[in-house]
């Protein structure tokens, strides 16, 4: 039986431990199991985070094994090789695909019935592999997708326009990576079209700023990795937000990586598309009226991912 208040994190590197810390701060779950190939590392992270509980919310955080996660409602998978400076997310696919397959085998072995939240990169490819290997219904296997990229877009737009980022409604879709695209045709600030709001803020045109912001979003991970070696705080908060939407059944619209079956004319792969996220996982994929240019870019993004999928060892 599923315990809705219990979650598990597989992989306790920078990303996994950042997610655990974010979940502890939010008080989303009452029980959190940490798993890692290096069990001592998982124990150390559990101890370190637990020592902050007197300042936060009551929670049981401990290092465990796969048998301990059988009743978890959300299993967050972050395990995998790190992205190195100069290495694209897609360069990681072969080695991380093998790691993902081994994790899914263990999850199936203990008959876990929770929702799989894939965070490991390249996330769209690995979400597809997790779906294929697990045999789970597609709504129960989702990737963190472009949720963080979308947050970066909102932040940079808010900085440029000097407005609260919570009033910015814009998102990134497609691959979580180099071929992602900003859905500018849908962007607005509190219901006011982006270009119109920019004019209200003193911009005669906003085209060059939009292009600059898009490239800054797309290249954010590379910029951070060049400076500090890895990214983890932002994705930690993004993954915690997705998990929160699941456990609180908030029906939040998020651009998570989901399996497409004809939506946008695409099928046979996972891609980051706005979906309603609740206790059932990705409960509904939303088909939005993107512009023709955006649809063309989305199609090209899908083709790039499909070509990578074809080269993954089966």
């Amino acid at each position: 039986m599923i315990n809705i208040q219990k979650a598990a994190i597989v992989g306790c590197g920078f990303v996994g431990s950042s997610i655990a810390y974010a979940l502890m701060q939010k008080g989303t779950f009452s029980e959190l199991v940490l798993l890692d190939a290096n069990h001592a590392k998982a124990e150390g992270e559990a101890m370190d985070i637990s020592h902050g509980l007197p300042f936060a919310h009551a929670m049981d955080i401990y290092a465990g094994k796969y048998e301990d996660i059988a009743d978890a409602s959300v299993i967050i998978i972050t395990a995998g090789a790190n992205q190195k400076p100069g290495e694209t997310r897609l360069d990681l696919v072969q080695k991380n695909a093998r790691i993902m397959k081994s994790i899914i085998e263990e999850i199936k072995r203990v008959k876990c019935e929770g929702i799989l939240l894939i965070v490991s990169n390249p996330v769209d490819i690995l979400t597809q592999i997790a779906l294929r290997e697990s045999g789970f219904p597609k709504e129960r296997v989702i990737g963190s997708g472009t949720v963080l990229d979308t947050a970066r877009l909102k932040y940079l737009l808010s900085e440029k326009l000097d407005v609260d980022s919570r009033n910015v409604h814009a998102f990134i879709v497609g691959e979580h990576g180099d071929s992602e695209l900003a859905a500018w045709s849908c962007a607005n600030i509190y219901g006011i079209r982006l270009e119109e709001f920019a004019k209200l803020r003193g911009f005669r045109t906003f085209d060059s700023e939009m292009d600059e912001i898009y490239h800054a979003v797309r290249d954010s991970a590379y910029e951070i990795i060049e400076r500090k070696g890895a990214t983890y705080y932002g994705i930690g908060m993004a993954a915690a937000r997705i998990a929160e939407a699941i456990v609180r059944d908030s029906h939040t619209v998020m651009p998570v990586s989901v399996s497409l079956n004809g939506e946008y004319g695409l099928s046979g792969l996972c891609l980051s598309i706005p979906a309603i996220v609740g206790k059932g996982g990705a409960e509904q994929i939303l088909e939005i009226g993107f512009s023709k240019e955006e649809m063309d870019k989305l199609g090209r993004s899908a083709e790039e991912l499909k070509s990578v999928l074809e080269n993954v060892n089966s």
Side-chain angles (χ1 to χ4, degrees), residues 57-288:
H57 304 271
M59 179 187 284
D60 186 15
I61 305 173
Y62 59 93
K65 53 187 183 298
Y66 280 99
E67 283 75 11
D68 296 315
I69 74 171
D71 60 341
S73 62
V74 183
I75 300 91
I76 304 168
I77 302 176
T78 75
N82 292 328
Q83 186 177 357
K84 295 180 173 61
E87 183 178 43
T88 69
R89 293 183 180 97
L90 296 184
D91 288 334
L92 295 170
V93 65
Q94 290 288 4
K95 47 189 172 183
N96 281 350
R98 290 191 292 271
I99 294 171
M100 181 61 65
K101 289 176 185 178
S102 67
I103 292 169
I104 298 301
E105 284 177 7
E106 290 296 308
I107 288 172
K108 288 173 66 179
R109 181 179 64 80
V110 299
K111 297 179 170 57
C112 183
E113 296 182 359
I115 291 168
L116 303 183
L117 173 54
I118 312 302
V119 181
S120 308
N121 273 322
V123 67
D124 304 294
I125 299 291
L126 295 180
T127 301
Q128 180 69 23
I129 290 170
L131 176 64
R132 184 185 69 200
E133 296 295 319
S134 68
F136 285 7
K138 67 175 187 175
E139 63 271 12
R140 277 179 52 202
V141 183
I142 62 179
S144 54
T146 52
V147 173
L148 174 56
D149 309 76
T150 292
R152 289 166 172 160
L153 178 64
K154 291 181 177 183
Y155 166 74
L156 291 173
L157 280 170
S158 74
E159 289 290 292
K160 182 66 71 173
L161 295 169
D162 195 20
V163 65
D164 189 336
S165 61
R166 292 171 295 184
N167 293 148
V168 178
H169 303 288
F171 51 91
I172 298 285
V173 295
E175 176 209 355
H176 170 58
D178 297 339
S179 68
E180 66 188 25
L181 61 135
W184 292 122
S185 63
C186 306
N188 68 83
I189 312 297
Y190 204 66
I192 303 169
R193 290 184 68 250
L194 178 60
E195 293 89 339
E196 183 180 345
F197 188 87
K199 288 179 181 177
L200 294 174
R201 297 299 278 166
F203 291 87
R204 293 184 63 185
T205 64
F206 202 57
D207 291 347
S208 61
E209 286 81 5
M210 288 161 63
D211 190 57
E212 174 189 317
I213 288 170
Y214 162 71
H215 283 94
V217 169
R218 188 195 64 184
D219 299 336
S220 285
Y222 300 128
E223 295 289 338
I224 295 169
I225 289 168
E226 183 180 335
R227 288 163 173 77
K228 57 176 279 188
T231 68
Y232 38 92
Y233 294 131
I235 188 57
M237 289 184 281
R241 181 67 186 90
I242 300 169
E244 182 181 45
I246 294 169
V247 71
R248 303 207 188 287
D249 196 25
S250 60
H251 301 110
T252 303
V253 177
M254 296 175 164
V256 289
S257 187
V258 289
S259 176
L260 298 178
N261 186 27
E263 296 89 354
Y264 300 95
L266 303 172
S267 60
L269 79 165
C270 291
L271 210 59
S272 298
I273 292 292
I276 295 176
V277 179
K279 66 180 180 181
E283 297 178 340
Q284 182 181 352
I285 297 170
L286 302 176
E287 289 202 69
I288 298 168

